[in-house]
């Protein structure tokens, strides 16, 4: 299994330690981003876990035109730059268009491809090239419509474009009936067999797409109490990293509140995941 490094931050995924990609679903304001990044940095440093702060500058795949999307590319990168300056952390964030890749990679160390866009060839190729130029990673969410081994085509596109490995694959559930997602833990080993580190997005795996009773289906619902279950199971199954979203007050979050965890729960959950990972790697 290849190990990928972020040399600027002396950080590794695929090695002995469980990598944590965590933060906010979407940027709301600079103060909140600094607060969440600072808290998670403190927790992960105390636990000795590699940490990448995640926050999206735009969430383009919203259920409704009324849904909050974030500040946008340039204002969002300004906030993420402030986070890097204050906390000296690598940053992960989504891009949605090929034209965003190069600009975003000036700040973002881990360019993330949303699940619905994982088969978009131009987006994968441009993001892979930008990740190589900036010595970063390409974190690709597996689409809800793909089998694990279908990710081989995604990996091949990136490898063919840049001639090396930069891809981290992310399991985040597959559509199962209406308004439901299910994670197949057997798929984790299959995805790792493609020669890439694999993470689990335990936050989005508990989504109920288009089924938030608070808005009559104009937003996505979720089962927050299932996040820890999926994360623990996936770590036991061999993932190299976990993707989690937190908020000081999840029910007040401007996006995907039903799926994210309270920030105060981060320390206990990550300590448990570290213990599971240690046993799994033995």
């Amino acid at each position: 299994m290849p190990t990928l490094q972020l040399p600027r931050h002396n950080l590794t995924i695929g090695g002995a330690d469980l990598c944590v990609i965590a933060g906010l679903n979407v940027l709301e304001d600079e103060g909140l981003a600094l607060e969440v990044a600072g808290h998670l940095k403190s927790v992960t440093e105390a636990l000795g876990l590699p940490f990448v702060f995640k926050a999206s500058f735009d969430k383009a795949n919203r259920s409704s035109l009324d849904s909050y999307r974030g500040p946008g590319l340039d204002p969002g990168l300004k906030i993420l730059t402030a986070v890097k300056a204050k906390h000296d952390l690598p940053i992960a964030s989504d891009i949605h268009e090929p034209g965003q890749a190069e600009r975003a990679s000036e700040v973002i160390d881990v360019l993330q491809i949303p699940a619905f866009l994982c088969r978009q060839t131009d987006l994968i190729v441009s993001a892979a090239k930008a990740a190589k130029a900036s010595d970063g990673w390409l974190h690709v969410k597996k689409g809800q419509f793909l089998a694990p081994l279908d990710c081989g085509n995604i990996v091949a596109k990136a490898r063919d474009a840049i001639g090396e490995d930069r891809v981290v694959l992310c399991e985040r559930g597959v559509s199962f009936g209406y308004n439901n997602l299910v994670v197949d833990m057997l798929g984790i080993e299959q995805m790792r067999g493609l020669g890439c580190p694999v993470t689990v997005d335990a936050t989005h795996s508990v989504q109920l797409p288009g089924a938030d009773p608070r808005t009559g289906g104009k937003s996505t619902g979720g089962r927050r109490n299932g996040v820890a279950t999926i994360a623990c199971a996936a770590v036991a199954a061999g993932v190299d990293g976990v993707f989690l979203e937190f908020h000081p007050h999840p029910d007040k979050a401007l996006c995907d509140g039903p799926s994210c965890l309270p920030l105060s729960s981060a320390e206990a959950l990550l300590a448990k995941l570290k213990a599971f990972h240690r046993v799994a790697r033995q």
Side-chain angles (χ1 to χ4, degrees):
M1 173 59 58
T3 298
L4 300 184
Q5 296 183 335
L6 288 177
R8 286 174 292 178
H9 297 277
N10 193 28
L11 187 147
T12 300
I13 189 170
D17 297 319
L18 180 69
C19 185
V20 177
I21 303 175
L24 294 162
N25 184 288
V26 64
L27 290 168
E28 297 182 16
D29 58 60
E30 184 175 310
L32 180 62
L34 290 170
E35 174 189 356
V36 173
H39 182 84
L40 293 175
K41 179 181 180 181
S42 177
V43 168
T44 51
E45 280 188 344
L47 292 170
L49 295 172
F51 171 50
V52 179
F53 176 70
K54 180 269 169 184
S56 298
F57 57 78
D58 182 22
K59 301 291 288 187
N61 57 331
R62 299 297 85 197
S63 299
S64 166
L65 282 173
D66 299 328
S67 299
Y68 177 73
R69 288 182 51 167
L73 179 61
D74 288 326
L77 291 180
K78 183 177 179 181
I79 294 173
L80 294 174
T81 298
V83 171
K84 293 189 83 166
K86 182 173 178 62
H87 295 302
D88 189 26
L89 288 169
I91 302 291
S93 193
D94 305 284
I95 60 171
H96 298 83
E97 303 169 9
Q100 294 178 334
E102 185 176 356
R103 171 75 179 96
S105 68
E106 295 172 4
V107 176
I108 297 168
D109 305 272
V110 181
L111 294 172
Q112 186 165 280
I113 306 299
F116 285 127
L117 301 178
C118 69
R119 286 174 58 92
Q120 297 297 104
T121 300
D122 291 344
L123 182 59
I124 295 293
V125 169
S126 61
K129 290 180 177 178
K132 180 179 180 179
S134 64
D135 215 3
W137 300 341
L138 176 59
H139 189 225
V140 183
K141 300 283 189 76
K142 178 178 73 65
Q144 300 92 319
F145 43 86
L146 291 182
L149 290 180
D150 292 338
C151 292
N153 293 324
I154 300 170
V155 175
K157 289 176 183 178
R159 285 176 177 161
D160 290 347
I162 61 175
E164 61 183 67
D165 289 312
R166 292 275 173 181
V167 176
V168 179
L169 294 172
C170 180
E171 170 58 55
R172 50 95 70 232
V174 65
S175 295
F176 184 81
Y178 296 120
N179 307 119
N180 196 13
L181 298 169
V182 170
V183 177
D184 177 7
M185 296 300 166
L186 297 178
I188 290 169
E189 184 176 358
Q190 291 180 306
M191 292 165 68
R192 293 185 84 238
L194 297 172
C196 297
V198 173
T199 65
V200 64
D201 179 352
T203 295
H204 290 91
S205 293
V206 302
Q207 283 184 328
L208 298 170
D212 188 347
R214 303 174 305 172
T215 61
K218 288 187 176 181
S219 60
T220 291
R223 297 162 291 183
R224 185 182 301 146
N225 60 354
V227 172
T229 300
I230 289 176
C232 288
V235 170
V239 291
D240 303 284
V242 291
F243 178 100
L244 299 162
E245 290 176 346
F246 296 92
H247 195 284
H249 307 286
D251 291 330
K252 296 181 180 180
L254 298 183
C255 183
D256 279 355
S259 300
C260 76
L261 296 172
L263 186 60
S264 59
S265 70
E267 183 175 6
L269 175 57
L270 291 175
K272 180 185 290 187
L273 295 178
K274 179 180 178 178
F276 270 86
H277 186 260
R278 183 173 61 248
V279 172
R281 287 302 163 100
Q282 288 175 349

